[in-house]
C-alpha cells in the first residue's frame, strides 16, 4: 500500500504548524481535504493565544469557516499533526466528519484513543475512524521546539525537563487503532511496525523519507488561507523547517545520526 | 472529623440542595499506580543541605509522599520525579554544591495519596505517605457557598427557560457574583455544535476580553474564563464539558442530565485527574426547582411532538 499521498498531506500540515510557531502559537495544525475533488479546502492552526479563546484549536479554525455554508462533512477528511483533544473529537463527531489522520498521540487529553475514545464511543450514533502515526516524530519534534522555548523564557526557570532535544529519543510508537484497522488503512505488509513499537511508518515500504521532501514552495503558496493568515512563505522557511527533523530510514528506524537544529526566534 | 452542619460527607451533598458530581468514590484501589522518583542516601547531618538543594525541582507531584525516610544510620531522600531531570543533571547539582551522597537511583513510589488511613499505612510498604485526612471530606468541610445566591442563579435559569417555549436550554456565566452572560438554545434539527450555549458564551467572553485589552488597557486582565461560575439547565455535551475545562472555569452547576452529556452521564470531564484542569461540578437537587424544570421540559416535549 502506497501512503505517499497521506504523507504529503501531513508534511504540508506539519509545515502549517511551523508557520503557527513562527506566529507564536502552539505548533499544532490541520488541513481539510475534500475527497470528491481531492483538494485541500481549508487549514487550521492553534489560535488560542491570539483569540484569547481556549477552544480555538486547529480543528475549530479549519471547520468554522464552513459554519453557515451548505457542506457535506461526510466528504471531508482531516489531517492533524496531533491527535484531536476530547473537545475537538466530540466536535468532529457532531459535525459527522468522514475520517481523521493524525501524527502523534496526545497523552494529556487525546480524544481519539489515547485518553478517551470520543470518536467511537456509544454516546452518539455516527462514529469516525481516526488513523495515527503519519509523520509522528515530526509532530513531536515540532512540539518540543515550542516547549523548550516556553521553558527558557519562564520568569523563574526551575530545572525542568531535558532541554537537549537534538539528542532526545522518541517515545515508543504505540498505535491507538486495532490490528484490523491498521491492516485496512496502512497495509498488512507494515504489520511489523504495528507490533515492534520502535519503528515509524514510511510512505513506501523499504524506502526512507524526510518530511521536507514533500514540500514545494509553489504548492505551499497555493494552499488556501495559508499565506493570507500566517504570512508569506519563502524557500528559506522551508529549509529552516526541514533542518528540524530526522529522516526515517527504509526499515522505519529513526536516523538519530543526523544533525537536527533547534528552533530559535 | 466533625462535619459542618450543612455538609453531608457520605453523599457529598451541601445544604440539601447541591450534590457533588465526582468521578471516583472514596474507595482506594488495592495498590496505587506508581511513578519513578530519583532518590539517594546521605548522612542525617546534611539533611538541611539536601532539602535546600532539591528546592530547585518542582515538587508538585511529591506532596503526598514523605520526603525523607530513615534507614539504619542514613537518610534516604526523594529528589525529584524521574522525567524531571537526568541522572547527570542531579550529579552535577550535587557535585557543584559538594554534597555527599550514595546510591543515586530511581525508586518506584505511589503516584497519589490514599483516601483512608488504612490504605495509607498499607501503601507505606512501597513508600511512606503523608496522611492529612480524606482529601474530599476536607475539601467539602472547607467549602462555604452563599446558598441563597446559588438558588437565585438556578431560579434565574428557570425563569429564562420559561420566557419562551422555544427555549430548550439556558446557560449563565457569572463572575464575582455578577451575571456576565445569559445564553439560550432553541430546538433546532441541525444545531451547529459551535452554536451550543456554552460555546457561544466562551466565544463572547474572549471577544469582550480582546476588546477590553485594546480599548481599556488599564483594566485588570482576564485569563480565559478563569474565575467564572457557570450555571446551566442541562449537563453539557462532551465538547462543551471539555471546552469548560480548556477555559479554566472554577465551578459548574446544572439541573438535568442529558444522554450524551460529558459529566455524570459519561466521563466526568471537569473532575478527571490528568487533564489540564479540574473544576467543581454540582447537580442542583433542590426539589422545588427540580419539579419546575421537569414541568418545563414536559411542556416542551409535548409541543415538539405536537
Amino acid at each position: 500500500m502506497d501512503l505517499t499521498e497521506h504523507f504529503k498531506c501531513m508534511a504540508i500540515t506539519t509545515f502549517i504548524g511551523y508557520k503557527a510557531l513562527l506566529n507564536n502559537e502552539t505548533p499544532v495544525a490541520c488541513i481539510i481535504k475534500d475527497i470528491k475533488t481531492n483538494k485541500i479546502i481549508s487549514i487550521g492552526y492553534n489560535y488560542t493565544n491570539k483569540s484569547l479563546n481556549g477552544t480555538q484549536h486547529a480543528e475549530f479554525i479549519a471547520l468554522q469557516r464552513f459554519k453557515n455554508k451548505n457542506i457535506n462533512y461526510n466528504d471531508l477528511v482531516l489531517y492533524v499533526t496531533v491527535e484531536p483533544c476530547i473537545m475537538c473529537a466530540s466536535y468532529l463527531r457532531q459535525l459527522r466528519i468522514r475520517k481523521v489522520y493524525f501524527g502523534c498521540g496526545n497523552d494529556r487529553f487525546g480524544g481519539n484513543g489515547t485518553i478517551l475514545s470520543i470518536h467511537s464511543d456509544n454516546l452518539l450514533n455516527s462514529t469516525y475512524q481516526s488513523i495515527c502515526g503519519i509523520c509522528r516524530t515530526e509532530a513531536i519534534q515540532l512540539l518540543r521546539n515550542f516547549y523548550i522555548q516556553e521553558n527558557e523564557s519562564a520568569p523563574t526557570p526551575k530545572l525542568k525537563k531535558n532541554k537537549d532535544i537534538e539528542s532526545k529519543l522518541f517515545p515508543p510508537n504505540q498505535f491507538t487503532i486495532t490490528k484490523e484497522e491498521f491492516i485496512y488503512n496502512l497495509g498488512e505488509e507494515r504489520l511489523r511496525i504495528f507490533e515492534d513499537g520502535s519503528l515509524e511508518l514510511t510512505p513506501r515500504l523499504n524506502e526512507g523519507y524526510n518530511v521536507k521532501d514533500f514540500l514545494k514552495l509553489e504548492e505551499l503558496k497555493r494552499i488556501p488561507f495559508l499565506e493570507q493568515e500566517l504570512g508569506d512563505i519563502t524557500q528559506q522557511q522551508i529549509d529552516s523547517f526541514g533542518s528540524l527533523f530526522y529522516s526515517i530510514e527504509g526499515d522505519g528506524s529513526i536516523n538519530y545520526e543526523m544533525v537536527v537544529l533547534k528552533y530559535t526566534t | 472529623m466533625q462535619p459542618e452542619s450543612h455538609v453531608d460527607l457520605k453523599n457529598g451533598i451541601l445544604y440539601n440542595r447541591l450534590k457533588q458530581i465526582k468521578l471516583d468514590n472514596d474507595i482506594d484501589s488495592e495498590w496505587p499506580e506508581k511513578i519513578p522518583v530519583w532518590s539517594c542516601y546521605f548522612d542525617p547531618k546534611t539533611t538541611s543541605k539536601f532539602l535546600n538543594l532539591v528546592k530547585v525541582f518542582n515538587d508538585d507531584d511529591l506532596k503526598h509522599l514523605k520526603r525523607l525516610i530513615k534507614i539504619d544510620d542514613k537518610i534516604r531522600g526523594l529528589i525529584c520525579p524521574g522525567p524531571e531531570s537526568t541522572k547527570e543533571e542531579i550529579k552535577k547539582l550535587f557535585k557543584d554544591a559538594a554534597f555527599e551522597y550514595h546510591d543515586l537511583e530511581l525508586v518506584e513510589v505511589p503516584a497519589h495519596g490514599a483516601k483512608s488511613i488504612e490504605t495509607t499505612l498499607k501503601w507505606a510498604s512501597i513508600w511512606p505517605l503523608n496522611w492529612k485526612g480524606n482529601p474530599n471530606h476536607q475539601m467539602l468541610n472547607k467549602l462555604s457557598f452563599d446558598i441563597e445566591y446559588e438558588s437565585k442563579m438556578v431560579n434565574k435559569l428557570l425563569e429564562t427557560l420559561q420566557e419562551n417555549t422555544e427555549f430548550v436550554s439556558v446557560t449563565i456565566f457569572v463572575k464575582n457574583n455578577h451575571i456576565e452572560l445569559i445564553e439560550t438554545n432553541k430546538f433546532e434539527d441541525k444545531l451547529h455544535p459551535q452554536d451550543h450555549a456554552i460555546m457561544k458564551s466562551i466565544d463572547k467572553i474572549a471577544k469582550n476580553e480582546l476588546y477590553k485589552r485594546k480599548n481599556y488597557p488599564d483594566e485588570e486582565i482576564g485569563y480565559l474564563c478563569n474565575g467564572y461560575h457557570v450555571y446551566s439547565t442541562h449537563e453539557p455535551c462532551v465538547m462543551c464539558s471539555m471546552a469548560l475545562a480548556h477555559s479554566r472555569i472554577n465551578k459548574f452547576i446544572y439541573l438535568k442530565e442529558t444522554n450524551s452529556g460529558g459529566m455524570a452521564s459519561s466521563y466526568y470531564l471537569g473532575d478527571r485527574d490528568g487533564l489540564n484542569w479540574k473544576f467543581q461540578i454540582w447537580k442542583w437537587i433542590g426539589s422545588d426547582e427540580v419539579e419546575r424544570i421537569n414541568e418545563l421540559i414536559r411542556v416542551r416535549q409535548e409541543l415538539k411532538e405536537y
Side-chain angles (χ1 to χ4, degrees), chain A residues 101-116:
Chain A
Y101 289 90
F102 66 88
C104 67
N106 179 340
D107 54 18
R108 276 174 78 204
F109 34 85
N112 280 357
T114 300
I115 304 296
L116 296 173

Side-chain angles (χ1 to χ4, degrees), chain A residues 132-195:
Chain A
C132 55
I134 313 274
C135 297
R136 182 184 83 106
T137 60
E138 293 84 346
I140 296 172
Q141 195 70 358
L142 195 56
L143 278 176
R144 284 175 177 173
N145 271 290
F146 173 73
Y147 287 119
I148 47 158
Q149 225 194 348
E150 198 179 43
N151 289 350
E152 279 166 2
S153 65
T156 48
K158 289 213 164 198
L159 276 185
K160 215 183 164 197
K161 302 278 189 277
N162 185 356
K163 279 185 228 155
D164 184 17
I165 62 166
E166 301 98 315
S167 60
K168 203 170 169 189
L169 303 183
F170 290 94
N173 190 5
Q174 283 161 337
F175 287 82
T176 45
I177 50 178
T178 63
K179 192 172 171 181
E180 288 68 34
E181 284 175 315
F182 185 95
I183 291 171
Y184 181 79
N185 290 283
L186 302 169
E188 188 166 16
E189 67 279 12
R190 291 186 176 84
L191 263 184
R192 206 162 61 89
I193 300 168
F194 181 77
E195 281 151 5

Side-chain angles (χ1 to χ4, degrees), chain B residues 159-187:
Chain B
E159 281 159 31
T160 312
L161 188 63
Q162 194 161 12
E163 271 170 27
N164 186 335
T165 48
E166 283 184 56
F167 290 164
V168 289
S169 65
V170 182
T171 301
I172 301 179
F173 274 63
V174 171
K175 194 176 186 181
N176 300 329
N177 285 358
H178 177 262
I179 296 180
E180 300 277 338
L181 271 175
I182 301 181
E183 283 288 344
T184 55
N185 276 129
K186 290 181 179 175
F187 177 78

Side-chain angles (χ1 to χ4, degrees), chain A residues 64 67 90-91 94 121 161, chain B residues 84 194-196 239 267:
Chain A
Q64 67 200 13
K67 193 163 162 264
S90 174
Y91 178 60
Q94 293 185 46
D121 65 19
K161 302 278 189 277
Chain B
E84 185 101 346
Q194 278 179 270
D195 284 332
H196 291 184
M239 174 188 69
Y267 301 116

Side-chain angles (χ1 to χ4, degrees), chain A residues 24-26 46-53 146, chain B residues 210 213:
Chain A
N24 300 318
E25 289 285 355
T26 313
N46 195 290
Y47 196 62
T48 56
N49 293 336
K50 282 218 176 64
S51 66
L52 307 179
N53 180 341
F146 173 73
Chain B
L210 274 176
R213 287 194 193 181

Side-chain angles (χ1 to χ4, degrees), chain A residues 66-82:
Chain A
F66 307 128
K67 193 163 162 264
N68 293 314
K69 304 220 166 82
N70 189 15
I71 192 149
N72 185 1
Y73 290 95
N74 194 37
D75 291 336
L76 307 186
V77 172
L78 173 89
Y79 290 84
V80 58
T81 54
V82 180

